[in-house]
């Protein structure tokens, strides 16, 4: 048994923190929550003075690269990285080699997960066979295995008619359709947002309308078919506004944003730094402001890091050729605390709502909270500490992050979670 | 005499002394120049002034010698040792045919001889003079190459911690030849 | 007192101070002077190695650098790596390691990806000269353009130049406009909206057609090459239409003549696309001067940059 003493509990319902001790039993269940718990014999006391106990986060958009690209990351190292970042559950993307487009492949990943992962991991399935955007994948087998969503992850289904059919068919299974929104003919050769930064750096640009058009299209189709839709990696104000209007209109749509798109803008690309090369690309700062406001007021449902490990070798290529994407699991909470919670832009309640409760709700899981009788699934956060993000600090196999060598306010001391 | 920290300066030629020496140099070269096909080439910066002044004196005697200018920065053998200096280049100007000409090179001071060697290389990339002679205002000794002036103003014995400063009014706003000692 | 410090690399124009720019151009004139001699060489870089590393084909720029290096008596090696021979997976870093082992003093690099010269510069001791990286920069072109312009207009502050054509893809436009702007020359741009991006440098004044160009009374018009390969990006309907609307044809040459404006072009020209035969015969064309100055500028740049040695 472990007694987490003198800490404060963060909750979704209110920004206020609750002074309370938490007693966790040997099976990882929360035995008691309350002030002034006395440690009996055999109970390890963990001094949480000054610290905050935060319900474990849930990341809807994670690439663990297994099977196929184990050089970059494995399910085991991904789980380690997640725990290290206060994340106790993730949805794995199906863009592996081979892509996860059948029940058997889902099962093979689930087997690896149960053998090697220390956190909850759900495997999503492809919308189209092989992620090629030509034919429907076999939904029933995947849904039978419990996939929480179907997505071609990183690719938009460019044929509108095919996407429509995917949605209609998915509706029968009541499975969530998740869209990565871009318009390939506009994205083409682009590697950065089309605007002043792309001109200054002489890089081919992707106009923001590429994502906005795809969002608009997918919203129309979702309205038309009645399917539940989740939009990945919203990056612009206009895209967000379209989603907010669709919600008002009764469309069953949710959306996510990555911490990177909240705190970085296109001018952070600087000297061709590939750790700022993302898909979708970083936008002007006015979009960041709109996204932060959207997160605070709930128009954005979820935070999802799009944790995308690539080897150092790959990220060392010139900007135009380097693959987009960076590791995000270990820096998400820290960056959000450093930039927003610490400064009062929004509180722990918003963070928990958007990175813990709502994401679980979206995939049909119960939210996690620190209450008697529930499984212990939280992390101990020291807001007065500091974390310097170095390759040594990071547990991911591929430590490419735009926050490398930055010191962020706060420390994640420990993630308390034992899988049932 | 002026002192600055550990540096002492001594005048070795006054403005009048310079004028006398230049007249003397002009007399030395007069015979050759009078024979014709002669040209002066001054090495930037003060070698040019020296050449022009000598030419001026000869003109007074009815002898016309054209004056060209030569920047030898690109021919120096110490390109890597500039350190943090960024040398500025001048445009060389040799507005006469060199082939068959008797050239007299002018520089205000000769020391190791390396500058003159570079000047010889530079000059010969312009053409093929029939002869090249050397006229110098001050020879301060310490030669590192087998190069000697054919026409000399004054010889001054110097130590290695000394250097000769020539100042012309056209280039520096004042006149005089000074021996500077670095006592550090 | 001068802040002029030796620089290892020349990667772009943005990082150059006015002092540095003036220093290089002041030194370029004496180099140009050398071309009139029968011996056009000087021994300054004798024993030094210059590596021309061209990932994109370019006979014009590579030969200009080669001539410049040869005239400095340097040993030149040309290395053209075509797209097909770059094996996927042979990374830039691998190539850089090879370059380091070759111990060149100078590397002149042209690459289709912006930022590559900077990466090479970071990882080698050699002085790296950017001969063009993607759409980003072409600093020696800008310097030779300014040198050419200043030979006619020593007072370039307050003068006007219009760049016509594919502003979007042109590293020449980016570097040359930045340099002219630094020296106080006003820069206008003209071309189809598909090729004149909204995100361009704010000082590039938008002119919409030839009438606006000539009403603005520029001192020089700088024609950009339009690449025929742009067709698949659907930037304009076709060459004949582009030529009709944007080309420097006989009528426009007449307007140039009346204004006394000079014609410039980075080369190579596409006759029948952005220029006509008449344009190429225009008496106030500076195009061949640009080529000559290119060699002088590149010699001055080789003279100015200092590779990293064990001492520094």
């Amino acid at each position: 048994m472990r007694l987490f003493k003198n800490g404060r509990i963060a909750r979704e319902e209110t920004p206020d923190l609750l002074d309370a001790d938490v007693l966790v039993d040997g099976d990882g269940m929360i035995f008691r929550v309350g002030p002034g718990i006395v440690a009996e014999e055999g109970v390890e006391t963990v001094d949480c003075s000054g610290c905050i106990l935060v319900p474990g986060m849930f990341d809807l958009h994670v690439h663990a690269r297994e099977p196929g690209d184990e050089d970059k990351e494995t399910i085991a190292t991904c789980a380690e990285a997640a725990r290290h970042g206060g994340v106790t559950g993730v949805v794995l993307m199906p863009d592996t080699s081979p892509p996860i487009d059948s029940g058997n492949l889902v099962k093979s990943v689930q087997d690896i997960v149960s053998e090697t992962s220390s956190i909850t991991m759900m495997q999503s399935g492809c919308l189209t066979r092989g992620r090629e955007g030509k034919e429907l994948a076999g939904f029933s087998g995947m849904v039978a295995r419990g996939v929480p969503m179907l997505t071609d992850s990183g690719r938009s289904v460019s044929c509108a008619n095919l996407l429509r059919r995917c949605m209609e068919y998915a509706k029968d299974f009541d499975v969530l359709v998740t869209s990565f929104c871009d318009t390939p003919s506009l994205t083409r050769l682009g590697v950065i947002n089309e605007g002043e930064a792309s001109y200054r750096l002489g890089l081919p640009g992707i106009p923001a309308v590429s994502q906005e058009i795809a969002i608009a299209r997918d919203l129309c189709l979702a309205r038309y078919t009645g399917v539940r839709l989740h939009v990945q990696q919203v990056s612009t104000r206009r895209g967000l506004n379209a989603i907010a209007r669709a919600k008002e209109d009764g469309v069953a749509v949710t959306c996510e944003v990555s911490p990177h798109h909240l705190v970085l803008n296109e001018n952070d690309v600087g000297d061709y730094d590939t750790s700022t090369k993302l898909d979708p690309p970083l936008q002007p700062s006015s979009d960041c402001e709109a996204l932060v406001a959207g997160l605070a007021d709930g128009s954005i449902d979820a935070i999802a890091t799009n944790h995308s490990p690539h080897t150092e070798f790959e990220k060392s290529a010139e900007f135009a050729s380097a693959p987009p994407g960076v590791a995000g699991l270990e820096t998400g909470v820290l960056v959000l605390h450093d930039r927003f919670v610490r400064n009062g832009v929004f509180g722990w309640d918003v963070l928990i709502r958007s990175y813990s409760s709502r994401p679980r709700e979206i995939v049909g899981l119960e939210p996690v909270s620190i209450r008697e009788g529930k499984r212990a699934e939280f992390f101990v956060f020291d807001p007065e500490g500091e974390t310097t993000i170095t390759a040594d600090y990071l547990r991911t196999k591929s430590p490419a992050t735009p926050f490398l060598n930055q010191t962020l306010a706060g420390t994640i001391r420990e993630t308390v979670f034992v899988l049932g | 005499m002026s002192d600055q920290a550990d540096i002492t300066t001594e005048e070795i030629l006054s403005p009048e002394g310079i004028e006398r020496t230049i007249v003397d140099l002009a007399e030395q070269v007069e015979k050759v120049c009078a024979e014709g096909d002669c040209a002066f080439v001054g090495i930037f910066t003060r070698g040019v002034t020296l050449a022009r002044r000598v030419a001026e004196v000869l003109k007074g005697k009815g002898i016309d010698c054209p004056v060209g200018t030569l920047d030898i920065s690109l021919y120096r053998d110490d390109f890597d040792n500039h350190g943090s200096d960024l040398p500025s280049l001048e445009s060389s100007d040799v507005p006469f045919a060199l082939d068959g000409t008797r050239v007299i090179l002018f520089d205000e001071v000769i020391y190791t001889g390396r500058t003159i060697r570079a000047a010889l290389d530079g000059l010969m990339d312009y053409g093929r003079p029939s002869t090249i002679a050397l006229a110098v205002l001050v020879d301060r000794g310490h030669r590192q190459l087998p190069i000697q002036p054919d026409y000399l103003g004054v010889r001054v014995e110097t130590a290695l911690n000394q250097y000769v400063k020539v100042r012309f009014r056209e280039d520096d706003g004042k006149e005089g030849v000074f021996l500077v000692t670095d006592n550090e | 007192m001068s802040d002029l410090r030796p620089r290892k690399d020349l990667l772009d124009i943005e990082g150059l101070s006015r002092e540095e720019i003036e220093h290089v151009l002041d030194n370029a004139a004496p180099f140009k002077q050398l071309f009139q001699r029968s011996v056009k060489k000087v021994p300054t870089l004798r024993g030094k190695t210059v590596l021309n590393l061209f990932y994109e084909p370019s006979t014009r720029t590579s030969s200009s650098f080669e001539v410049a290096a040869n005239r400095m008596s340097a040993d030149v090696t040309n290395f053209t790596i075509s797209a097909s021979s770059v094996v996927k997976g042979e990374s830039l870093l691998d190539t850089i390691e090879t370059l380091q082992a070759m111990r060149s003093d100078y590397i002149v690099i042209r690459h289709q990806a912006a930022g590559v010269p900077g990466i090479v510069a970071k990882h080698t001791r050699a002085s790296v000269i950017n001969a063009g990286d993607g759409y980003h920069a072409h600093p020696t072109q800008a310097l030779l353009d300014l040198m050419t312009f200043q030979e006619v207009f020593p007072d370039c502050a307050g003068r006007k130049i219009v760049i016509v054509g594919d502003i979007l893809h042109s590293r020449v436009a980016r570097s040359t406009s930045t340099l002219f702007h630094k020296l106080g020359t006003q820069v206008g741009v003209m071309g189809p909206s598909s090729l004149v991006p909204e995100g361009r440098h704010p000082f590039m004044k938008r002119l919409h057609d030839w009438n606006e160009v000539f009403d603005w009374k520029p001192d020089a018009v700088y024609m950009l090459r339009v690449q025929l390969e742009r067709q698949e990006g659907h930037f304009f309907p076709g060459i004949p239409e582009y030529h009709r609307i944007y080309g420097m044809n006989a009528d426009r040459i007449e307007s140039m003549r009346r204004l006394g404006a000079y014609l410039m072009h980075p080369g190579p020209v596409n006759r029948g696309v952005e220029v006509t035969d008449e344009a190429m015969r225009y008496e106030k064309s500076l195009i061949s001067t640009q080529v000559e100055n290119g060699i002088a500028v590149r010699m001055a740049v080789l003279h100015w940059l200092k590779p990293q040695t064990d001492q520094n």
Side-chain angles (χ1 to χ4, degrees):
Chain A
M1 293 197 93
R2 300 176 76 206
L3 176 61
F4 293 87
K5 198 148 177 59
N6 301 323
R8 294 162 292 163
I9 297 177
R11 298 155 299 167
E12 183 189 350
E13 303 80 46
T14 162
D16 299 328
L17 301 171
L18 177 70
D19 285 297
D21 301 335
V22 178
L23 184 59
V24 178
D25 73 19
D27 294 321
M29 302 300 287
I30 298 179
F31 190 74
R32 189 115 64 85
V33 176
I37 300 178
V38 173
E40 287 166 34
E41 226 193 284
V43 172
E44 179 206 341
T45 303
V46 181
D47 182 14
C48 297
S49 318
C51 289
I52 305 172
L53 307 188
V54 184
M57 302 285 144
F58 191 91
D59 201 319
L60 288 169
H61 193 153
V62 170
H63 301 266
R65 306 297 190 207
E66 193 175 355
D69 278 307
E70 289 84 353
D71 275 347
K72 306 190 200 207
E73 194 84 284
T74 63
I75 284 173
T77 59
C78 183
E80 271 311 292
R83 282 188 81 99
H84 196 222
V87 177
T88 55
V90 303
V91 175
L92 298 174
M93 290 297 107
D95 61 331
T96 46
S97 302
I100 310 300
D101 63 357
S102 72
N104 287 338
L105 288 166
V106 172
K107 175 158 193 322
S108 64
V109 174
Q110 287 170 334
D111 288 342
I112 304 174
V113 167
S114 50
E115 274 162 47
T116 66
S117 172
S118 54
I119 62 166
T120 304
M121 286 180 155
M122 303 177 87
Q123 176 62 55
S124 61
C126 295
L127 271 169
T128 65
R129 202 181 293 282
R131 266 177 92 228
E132 282 175 9
K134 297 201 180 114
E135 306 175 329
L136 278 80
F139 289 7
S140 67
M142 294 190 285
V143 173
R145 293 281 172 206
V147 295
M149 61 168 72
L150 297 171
T151 174
D152 274 357
S153 175
R155 285 190 196 150
S156 170
V157 177
S158 45
C159 174
N161 190 46
L162 177 59
L163 181 60
R164 167 214 175 142
R165 299 301 178 204
C166 287
M167 288 181 171
E168 287 171 346
Y169 198 61
K171 217 178 127 200
D172 288 342
F173 294 96
D174 193 24
V175 68
L176 180 67
V177 170
T178 296
S179 274
F180 182 85
C181 293
D182 84 356
T183 309
S185 70
L186 288 173
T187 309
R188 260 186 90 216
L189 305 163
V191 298
I192 186 180
N193 181 49
E194 183 175 279
E196 285 177 18
S198 69
Y199 187 76
R200 179 172 47 84
L201 294 167
L203 292 168
I206 301 169
V209 289
S210 166
Q211 186 184 67
E212 289 160 10
I213 289 172
I215 289 178
R217 179 194 74 157
D218 291 11
L219 287 172
C220 287
L221 287 172
R223 173 189 297 113
Y224 192 71
T225 59
V227 80
R228 284 185 298 128
L229 174 69
H230 177 72
V231 175
Q232 291 183 319
Q233 302 292 293
V234 177
S235 62
T236 74
R237 174 177 57 90
R238 291 203 169 84
L240 176 59
N241 288 348
I243 293 169
R245 272 195 306 273
K247 282 182 183 175
E248 282 165 28
D249 240 4
V251 178
V253 59
T254 54
C255 66
E256 71 187 40
V257 71
S258 87
H260 301 114
H261 289 93
L262 295 173
V263 312
L264 299 169
N265 64 61
E266 59 176 356
N267 289 318
D268 289 313
V269 175
D271 193 19
Y272 301 99
D273 182 1
T274 59
S275 74
T276 55
K277 182 173 180 182
L278 302 179
D279 191 10
L282 295 172
Q283 298 293 316
S285 53
S286 53
D287 287 289
C288 302
E289 285 157 22
L291 294 171
V292 173
L295 186 70
D297 71 24
S299 349
I300 298 182
D301 303 87
I303 302 242
T305 59
N306 190 8
H307 176 82
S308 302
H310 293 290
T311 61
E312 197 182 327
F313 177 77
E314 291 172 301
K315 288 303 256 185
S316 68
E318 59 273 13
F319 196 92
S321 308
V326 294
L329 280 170
E330 292 167 272
T331 52
V333 165
L334 289 170
V335 164
L336 293 167
H337 171 261
D338 180 87
R339 300 284 208 273
F340 304 121
V341 177
R342 178 170 64 124
N343 301 325
V345 176
F346 52 74
W348 283 107
D349 55 330
V350 170
L351 185 55
I352 293 168
R353 185 220 325 131
S354 47
Y355 201 13
S356 179
S357 309
R358 199 78 182 92
R360 286 185 165 94
E361 204 182 324
I362 287 171
V363 294
L365 292 178
E366 286 292 307
V368 152
S369 55
I370 303 174
R371 283 187 216 285
E372 284 174 24
K374 297 232 165 218
R375 178 161 296 281
E377 196 170 340
F378 60 85
F379 60 93
V380 180
F381 187 84
D382 178 4
E384 299 307 314
E386 276 185 349
T387 307
T388 304
I389 307 296
T390 58
D392 284 334
Y393 172 80
L394 297 168
R395 304 257 170 92
T396 167
K397 256 184 157 182
S398 301
T401 159
F403 305 112
L404 202 59
N405 298 323
Q406 285 185 34
T407 300
L408 302 171
T411 317
I412 298 171
R413 287 231 195 128
E414 180 189 346
T415 299
V416 181
F417 181 41
V418 176
L419 278 170
Chain B
M1 178 112 59
S2 62
D3 288 303
Q4 186 194 325
D6 287 319
I7 298 185
T8 49
T9 306
E10 183 198 328
E11 187 191 69
I12 42 182
L13 267 186
S14 66
E16 297 75 33
I18 291 179
E19 215 191 303
R20 277 195 306 271
T21 313
I22 287 182
V23 167
D24 178 56
L25 265 178
E27 277 169 18
Q28 290 182 49
V29 303
E30 190 178 338
K31 184 152 172 290
V32 170
C33 293
E35 288 166 26
D37 290 323
C38 214
F40 291 174
V41 175
I43 299 173
F44 266 109
T45 312
R46 297 181 188 85
V48 173
T49 309
L50 182 65
R52 286 185 178 144
R53 287 206 192 170
V54 172
E56 204 46 48
V57 172
L58 286 179
K59 199 160 176 206
K61 303 191 183 186
I63 301 171
D64 242 318
C65 240
V67 178
T69 67
L70 190 64
D71 176 27
I72 51 95
S73 322
L74 298 174
Y75 288 85
R76 298 172 65 98
D77 59 8
D78 60 352
F79 186 65
D80 286 334
N81 300 335
H82 287 159
S84 57
D85 291 333
L86 282 177
S88 281
L89 304 177
E90 303 292 336
S91 276
S92 303
D93 183 22
V94 182
F96 39 78
L98 281 180
D99 291 22
T101 305
R102 284 177 295 186
V103 172
I104 305 183
L105 263 181
F106 281 80
D107 208 2
E108 86 279 19
V109 177
I110 182 172
Y111 176 29
T112 60
R114 289 184 190 276
T115 301
I116 307 301
R117 185 208 68 78
L120 290 172
D121 282 346
L123 191 61
M124 293 203 276
D125 277 351
Y126 276 91
R128 206 168 176 280
S130 59
T131 61
I132 303 177
L134 176 62
V136 165
L137 187 67
V138 181
D139 179 347
R140 66 158 289 197
H142 301 290
R143 213 73 80 236
Q144 292 173 5
L145 297 173
I147 293 177
Q148 309 303 334
D150 301 282
Y151 309 104
L152 176 60
V154 294
R155 180 170 285 118
V156 176
E157 261 200 40
T158 64
L160 288 172
N161 69 334
Q162 295 179 313
Y163 56 95
V164 172
K165 234 162 59 164
V166 173
R167 291 291 173 262
F168 288 138
R169 78 186 90 82
E170 298 92 316
D171 303 298
D172 311 291
K174 58 177 184 173
E175 278 287 285
V177 177
F178 305 92
L179 179 64
V180 180
T181 308
D182 191 345
N183 294 313
E184 234 164 82
Chain C
M1 252 293 68
S2 162
D3 288 287
L4 224 43
R5 287 277 163 274
R7 186 183 266 274
K8 177 167 99 72
D9 311 298
L10 177 61
L11 301 174
D12 59 37
I13 291 295
E14 257 170 83
L16 298 181
S17 68
R18 263 193 89 139
E19 246 192 313
E20 288 176 303
I21 294 164
E22 278 163 16
H23 176 82
V24 174
L25 292 184
D26 283 344
N27 281 2
F31 279 112
K32 186 173 173 176
Q33 248 259 334
L34 295 174
F35 302 168
Q36 285 149 19
R37 305 190 327 189
S38 60
V39 175
K40 296 174 188 32
K41 261 180 137 146
V42 286
T44 323
L45 291 186
R46 202 181 49 199
K48 304 286 182 203
T49 42
V50 173
L51 178 64
N52 268 345
L53 189 59
F54 276 62
Y55 279 81
E56 278 181 352
S58 160
T59 45
R60 173 175 291 247
T61 307
S62 58
S63 59
S64 178
F65 272 106
E66 194 177 346
V67 170
N70 276 325
R71 288 189 183 173
M72 305 283 280
S73 302
D75 297 324
V76 183
T77 309
N78 290 314
F79 220 59
T80 305
I81 305 180
S82 71
S84 57
S85 67
V86 173
V87 173
K88 195 122 214 279
E90 193 221 295
S91 74
L92 187 59
L93 288 187
D94 290 335
T95 311
I96 288 174
E97 271 198 49
T98 314
L99 294 177
Q100 265 287 75
M102 286 164 69
R103 295 187 180 274
S104 299
D105 300 286
Y106 301 87
I107 297 176
V108 176
I109 178 166
R110 163 171 285 202
H111 198 285
Q112 61 271 61
V116 167
I119 299 176
V120 175
K122 258 192 216 122
H123 290 96
T124 58
R125 297 175 138 186
S127 282
V128 174
I129 301 173
N130 181 6
D133 63 330
Y135 307 150
H136 173 231
H138 197 352
T140 57
Q141 178 72 46
L143 287 166
L144 74 88
D145 288 335
L146 182 64
M147 178 182 179
T148 309
F149 189 81
Q150 277 185 334
E151 280 173 352
V152 184
F153 300 111
D155 58 332
C156 45
R159 294 276 173 192
K160 296 180 190 163
I161 186 167
V162 177
I163 307 179
V164 177
D166 184 355
I167 307 295
L168 175 62
H169 299 105
S170 170
R171 54 191 170 223
V172 171
R174 280 169 179 79
S175 286
T176 295
S177 65
T178 303
L179 185 56
F180 275 76
H181 174 70
K182 260 188 206 280
L183 267 80
T185 306
Q186 293 177 64
V187 179
V189 290
M190 201 275 280
S193 288
S194 45
L195 293 175
V196 181
E198 285 300 305
R200 63 185 181 275
H201 295 318
F203 59 77
M204 292 163 119
K205 181 187 164 69
R206 180 74 162 108
L207 303 161
H208 297 90
D209 52 44
W210 283 110
N211 288 330
E212 281 188 24
V213 168
F214 293 124
D215 283 343
W216 198 53
K217 300 199 187 343
D219 299 286
V221 172
Y222 195 115
M223 300 301 294
L224 291 176
R225 191 182 138 70
V226 171
Q227 276 170 284
L228 309 179
E229 309 84 78
R230 296 291 167 221
Q231 287 304 86
E232 53 161 66
H234 310 292
F235 292 96
F236 48 82
I239 299 296
E241 179 151 334
Y242 182 90
H243 179 74
R244 204 170 45 245
I245 305 177
Y246 301 103
M248 176 62 78
N249 58 25
D251 284 340
R252 290 154 194 162
I253 283 290
E254 255 320 294
S255 305
M256 295 281 284
R257 197 170 273 130
R258 275 196 298 271
L259 267 179
Y262 286 82
L263 177 65
M264 299 175 76
H265 191 299
V269 301
N270 280 332
R271 287 180 191 235
V273 182
E274 72 269 5
V275 291
T276 56
D277 293 337
E278 282 93 353
M280 296 308 291
R281 287 196 288 268
Y282 180 48
E283 58 280 3
K284 282 196 151 114
S285 162
L286 296 173
I287 298 176
S288 50
T289 312
Q290 285 173 276
V291 174
E292 193 184 357
N293 288 347
I295 301 176
V297 158
R298 285 161 181 142
M299 290 173 81
V301 168
L302 285 168
H303 179 257
W304 166 51
L305 297 176
K306 293 278 171 276
Q308 204 175 46
T309 59
D310 292 323
Q311 286 89 42
N312 64 25

